[in-house]
């Protein structure tokens, strides 16, 4: 597929706007997901660790997990905290992030495997020993998201 890109500077806009014009035979969902993926790769958020603040690229985040009135931010090798609640994060995170339980949101771009078993639905992440359980209520949606992505 050949892609033409045209940039128009408009001082009246408050934020960038992307319009996609395409023939019918193009997979629009995949195109939108790719654009959102680029945005997610570059996006950063500030999280805390032992009293210090760090800028973390959202692409590096494996999952957010709420426990004991605190939200922990897991990367492959680190754990940070944030003052934001899961529902606030869910509203503002890129499309690659998906709620998978009452207490967790994960980054679909970082999933290595999803296993369904009698004891629970388990997600394993790329380049990390960390794992996360997906509740039955959210399993089907996550599985469908991963199948579309693949």
């Amino acid at each position: 597929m050949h892609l033409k890109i045209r940039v128009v500077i408009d001082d009246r806009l408050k934020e960038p706007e992307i319009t996609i014009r395409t023939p019918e035979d193009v997979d629009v969902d995949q195109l939108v997901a790719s654009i959102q993926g680029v945005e997610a790769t570059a996006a950063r958020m500030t999280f805390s660790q032992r009293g210090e603040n760090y800028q973390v690229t959202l692409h590096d985040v494996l999952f957010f997990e709420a426990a004991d009135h605190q939200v922990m931010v897991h990367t492959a090798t680190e754990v940070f905290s944030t003052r934001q609640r899961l529902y606030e994060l869910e509203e503002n995170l890129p499309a690659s992030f998906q709620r998978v339980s009452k207490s967790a949101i994960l980054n679909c771009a970082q999933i290595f495997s999803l296993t369904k078993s009698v004891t629970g639905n388990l997600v394993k992440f790329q380049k990390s020993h960390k794992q996360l359980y997906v509740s039955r209520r959210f399993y089907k949606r996550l599985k469908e998201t991963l199948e579309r992505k693949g």
Side-chain angles (χ1 to χ4, degrees):
M1 166 174 65
H2 181 71
L3 187 64
K4 289 196 307 187
I5 298 176
R6 192 175 118 205
V7 177
V8 177
I9 306 298
D10 186 342
D11 293 335
R12 296 170 296 180
L13 293 176
K14 300 238 186 292
E15 58 186 25
E17 175 184 293
I18 297 175
T19 302
I20 299 173
R21 295 176 56 196
T22 181
E24 281 188 56
D25 63 341
V26 171
D27 185 348
V28 176
D29 291 339
Q30 183 179 357
L31 192 56
V32 169
S34 295
I35 292 167
Q36 288 173 328
V38 169
E39 180 184 27
T41 302
R44 293 176 165 272
M45 288 181 76
T46 302
F47 304 121
S48 302
Q49 185 183 65
R50 292 186 279 291
E52 289 190 43
N53 290 331
Y54 295 88
Q55 285 281 306
V56 178
T57 304
L58 285 179
H59 179 74
D60 293 337
V61 174
L62 303 179
F63 60 94
F64 295 88
E65 186 175 39
D68 301 324
H69 306 291
Q70 192 171 19
V71 175
M72 305 311 292
V73 183
H74 292 263
T75 66
T77 57
E78 302 285 338
V79 179
F80 301 93
S81 64
T82 179
R83 291 182 184 269
Q84 290 185 282
R85 300 285 169 238
L86 281 182
Y87 73 89
E88 294 170 324
L89 288 164
E90 191 173 22
E91 291 171 2
N92 297 311
L93 287 168
S96 61
F97 286 84
Q98 189 170 325
R99 175 79 73 145
V100 293
S101 71
K102 189 174 93 175
S103 61
I105 298 171
L106 61 70
N107 184 353
C108 294
Q110 291 288 356
I111 294 175
F112 179 70
S113 68
L114 172 62
T115 307
K116 185 176 180 127
S117 70
V118 179
T119 57
N121 309 311
L122 187 66
V123 169
K124 292 183 181 177
F125 295 95
Q126 299 176 31
K127 300 176 185 162
S128 177
H129 66 281
K130 296 181 181 182
Q131 305 179 118
L132 184 68
Y133 281 97
V134 176
S135 74
R136 286 180 299 194
R137 181 175 147 211
F138 293 93
Y139 175 81
K140 182 179 178 189
R141 182 171 168 239
L142 179 61
K143 186 172 183 245
E144 288 170 354
T145 297
L146 294 175
E147 286 171 351
R148 277 195 310 268
K149 190 178 115 181

